[in-house]
């Protein structure tokens, strides 16, 4: 069993903890939090050991009725791997702590690329992370772009990628963010940082990205153009993407016209938190003009990186091959939508929320 | 004097009426409306003659305290040119009325392209409309794209255009439209109709367009890629666009990061209704990678077609050359932003709202 600690229990951390907890070859040592807010209470309810990310705040947890096991460094010492899910920039501050305990760590995409030995998307470069001490699971948008580029590059060759990322202004809980009733080029200067970030995964890729922010919270939507090296048909590309376990090709008859209905679909299917770990590509949007491929995809910013974090742990510990790890993560998390409206992942998961099992122990 | 009637007095019609009324070589015969709502009252206040678009509703206007001059066919008979500003599809129904009076007409971009002898953007194809009986002023987005394509095509040659149109869900007054908190590919299938519509102006242009709708009402934003035939620099492109009277290149120091501030700027400068007749291109967004040009522009869907409607009238009546018409329209409407924060169009227009002069008569 790989013993995993999760430092930071917010939007990403709580999902990583649940995903780790659901894996057959991993054990969740515990989670570390800065404050005993609602998420801390849920963690306790799920049976997760709680550690104080700021040791001086231990009494705060006690006051809130939460018995913290100890301070974060105890969790780090006890873990084979730590997944750092703290806010952007804090991960860099935490690296010294992990180094002092010789504990390998996964960082998130908000950190600079040089925080890790390798930036990581399982589909694209799993093997680069084999045995690595520090790995950066790239951001939601970079993950989403890389999952499309990888099969296209392998199958047809990619001449150039041009992508406009229509980004949600903030997550549903980030109620002090904007915009309201505006469409903001963000950043105004072109290209955005996303293209260079994808090049941490595909160093030789030609890619230009443009970013905007709009008054929506549910998912990002990418308007994607890929100039391919081969002549292809839209039908062939669709078939290729449908074969990817972490790409959900939305079929026309499902009546899914946006992120709202995608989330409804995920909630109806009993997915934890209505998460959509897969790129959600509109099948009817897949179009080819000459060697120019176009498509729209929606990216769930809160959850698409979760399977990647789990795979990174196996690569770093060299405990599974790429194929084995991806298959295990997908099976135990429930990744993979067949397009069959009867459910996700080929089985009814409506009674199963990762992590809840422990709470009954 | 060219005698002009305006049929339909909603978002576009009321602006066209004001713009016509402000021209030195045009006389507004009157405006026709289906119902005596708030806009009808404003028209009367401005001194515009009111005609009932549906003759049977004449009594409704009287009940509302508005003396209608007569029915719409009287206005059509009395006009040298009618500008049809009725909702999409109604223009086609009205064409027989204009034909029966031998009155040339300008239609809007919501009509099918074949309603007119020519689809029209002054910058691109003014001369094609010389003497034409029926002209279609294309939609706001097509106008905005054409104004950028024309100078690029002339100066460098255009190999291909790829544009993602992040569209406002509805105008500020269209409060039953969505989306709320979503990002909708619209249409989901690619390409959208905008590319073919631009080809009504540039028949040989290679252009692929993708459309989305977001929860915003103020302006559209285009994420534009143009592969040029020549190698260029961003600085050269910027200079080229700054020389265009109907393109406002937003300079970095102005602190304009979206449509909200653009509208504030226009309102502060005293522009009627806060209208932005120009394409608003973010100067710092203009970027070149190889022969790929990128930029962001905001398009004010309620007003960017107004100068084009005015120019179409002059072309149809062969009363001015392209250069003369554009210069006159720009001067009397107030088009043209120098980038100088002290004002628009080189003079203080804060005390001038087109159309209000007549109201004092």
């Amino acid at each position: 069993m790989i013993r995993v600690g999760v430092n930071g229990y917010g939007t990403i951390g709580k999902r990583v903890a649940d995903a780790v907890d659901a894996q057959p070859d991993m054990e969740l040592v515990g989670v570390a939090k800065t404050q005993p807010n609602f998420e801390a209470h849920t963690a306790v309810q799920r049976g997760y050991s709680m550690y104080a990310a700021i040791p001086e705040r231990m009494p705060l947890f006690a006051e809130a009725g939460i018995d913290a096991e100890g301070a974060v460094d105890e969790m780090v010492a006890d873990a084979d791997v730590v997944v750092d899910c703290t806010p952007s920039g804090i991960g860099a501050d935490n690296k010294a702590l992990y180094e002092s305990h010789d504990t390998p760590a996964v960082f998130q995409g908000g950190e600079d690329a040089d925080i890790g030995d390798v930036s990581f998307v399982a589909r694209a470069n799993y093997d680069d992370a084999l045995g690595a001490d520090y790995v950066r699971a790239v951001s939601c948008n970079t993950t989403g772009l890389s999952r499309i580029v990888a099969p296209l590059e392998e199958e047809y060759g990619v001449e150039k990628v041009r992508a406009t990322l229509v980004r949600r202004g903030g997550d549903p809980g980030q109620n002090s963010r904007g915009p309201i009733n505006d469409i903001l080029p963000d950043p105004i200067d072109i290209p955005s940082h996303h293209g260079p970030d994808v090049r941490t995964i595909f160093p030789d890729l030609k890619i230009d990205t443009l970013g905007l922010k709009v008054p929506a919270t549910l998912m990002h939507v990418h308007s994607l153009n890929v100039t391919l090296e081969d002549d292809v048909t839209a039908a062939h590309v669709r078939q290729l993407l449908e074969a990817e376990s972490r790409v959900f090709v939305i079929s026309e008859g499902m009546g899914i016209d946006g992120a709202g209905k995608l989330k409804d679909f995920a909630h109806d299917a009993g997915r934890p938190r209505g998460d959509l770990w897969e790129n959600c590509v509109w099948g009817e949007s897949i179009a080819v003009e000459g060697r120019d491929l176009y498509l729209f995809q929606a990216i769930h910013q809160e959850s698409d990186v979760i399977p990647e974090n789990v795979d990174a742990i196996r690569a770093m510990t060299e405990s599974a091959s790429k194929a084995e790890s991806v298959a295990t993560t997908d099976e135990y998390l429930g990744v993979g939508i067949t397009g069959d409206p009867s459910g996700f992942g080929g089985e009814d998961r409506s009674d199963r929320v990762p992590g809840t099992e422990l709470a009954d122990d």
Side-chain angles (χ1 to χ4, degrees), chain A:
Chain A
M1 297 290 268
I2 311 168
R3 294 176 53 76
V4 179
V6 175
N7 190 11
Y9 191 79
T11 300
I12 298 297
K14 60 191 181 187
R15 288 172 165 87
V16 168
D18 288 353
V20 162
D21 188 55
Q23 301 304 306
D25 55 344
M26 297 184 190
E27 188 185 333
L28 186 67
V29 175
V31 302
K33 256 192 99 40
T34 53
Q35 50 189 333
N37 70 355
F38 75 95
E39 288 162 324
H41 285 275
T42 311
V44 169
Q45 203 176 21
R46 291 189 177 203
Y48 299 164
S49 297
M50 179 63 61
Y51 293 86
I54 300 172
E56 299 74 37
R57 292 205 189 155
M58 290 275 287
L60 273 184
F61 282 83
E63 278 171 34
I66 294 173
D67 281 335
E69 296 282 329
V72 62
D73 58 319
E74 297 171 58
M75 181 188 83
V76 173
D78 198 21
D80 298 322
V81 177
V82 168
V83 183
D84 185 292
C85 301
T86 58
S88 298
I90 308 294
D93 295 341
N94 290 337
K95 192 173 178 185
L97 170 67
Y98 309 143
E99 286 174 330
S100 72
H101 290 279
D102 277 331
T103 305
V106 183
F107 297 94
Q108 303 307 311
E111 305 300 325
D112 290 340
D114 62 8
I115 198 170
D117 310 311
V118 59
S119 289
F120 181 84
V121 174
R123 177 63 180 81
N125 68 344
Y126 183 93
D127 289 352
D128 291 350
L130 286 170
D133 282 336
Y134 300 106
V135 168
R136 172 174 164 265
V138 294
S139 74
C140 54
N141 282 313
T142 302
T143 298
L145 289 167
S146 298
R147 283 179 182 163
I148 298 293
V149 168
L152 294 177
E153 174 71 38
E154 286 169 19
E155 188 76 12
Y156 313 115
V158 170
E159 187 177 301
K160 184 160 190 175
V161 178
R162 301 172 186 85
T164 296
L165 313 182
V166 185
R167 295 154 53 213
R168 59 76 177 111
D171 293 339
Q174 294 176 310
N175 48 26
S176 65
R177 290 176 64 156
I180 296 174
N181 195 26
D182 212 333
I183 304 168
L184 304 181
D186 182 50
I188 294 178
D189 50 313
I190 298 170
S192 71
H193 70 278
H194 304 93
D197 203 34
V198 174
R199 274 196 293 271
T200 67
I201 305 293
F202 302 93
D204 301 322
L205 186 70
K206 279 193 189 174
I207 177 168
D208 297 326
T209 52
L210 296 84
L212 299 109
K213 257 189 346 194
V214 301
T217 64
L218 301 177
M219 299 177 80
H220 303 296
V221 176
H222 294 178
S223 168
L224 189 62
N225 162 239
V226 184
T227 307
L228 299 166
E229 288 175 356
D230 276 355
D231 278 322
V232 300
T233 65
H236 199 269
V237 172
R238 182 170 180 154
Q239 219 169 9
L240 182 76
L241 296 181
E242 282 175 342
E244 295 286 315
S245 74
R246 293 183 185 170
V247 176
F248 165 38
V249 178
I250 305 164
S251 60
E252 289 74 348
M254 296 186 82
I256 293 177
D257 60 358
K261 295 212 179 70
L262 276 167
K263 293 284 291 177
D264 276 358
F265 182 39
H267 280 299
D268 287 355
R271 283 207 165 184
R273 303 184 176 89
D275 281 350
L276 289 148
W277 301 291
E278 304 87 353
N279 293 26
C280 300
V281 173
W282 276 276
E284 51 189 309
S285 78
I286 299 171
V288 173
E289 290 281 329
R291 291 188 291 112
D292 271 330
L293 165 70
Y294 297 93
L295 62 80
F296 287 118
Q297 66 173 351
I299 298 294
H300 187 215
Q301 73 279 357
E302 297 171 292
S303 73
D304 81 326
V305 301
I306 305 306
E308 313 303 321
N309 273 274
V310 174
D311 290 329
I313 295 167
R314 288 202 192 88
M316 295 162 74
T317 54
E318 297 184 271
S319 59
S321 70
K322 170 181 169 178
E324 288 164 354
S325 178
V326 169
T328 307
T329 302
D330 287 357
E331 180 183 350
Y332 285 86
L333 192 53
V335 175
I337 307 174
T338 59
D340 175 359
S342 67
F344 286 72
E347 54 169 308
D348 181 6
R349 294 172 179 283
S350 56
D351 61 348
R352 181 166 168 277
V353 177
T356 50
E357 298 89 337
L358 265 181
D360 300 326
D361 285 354

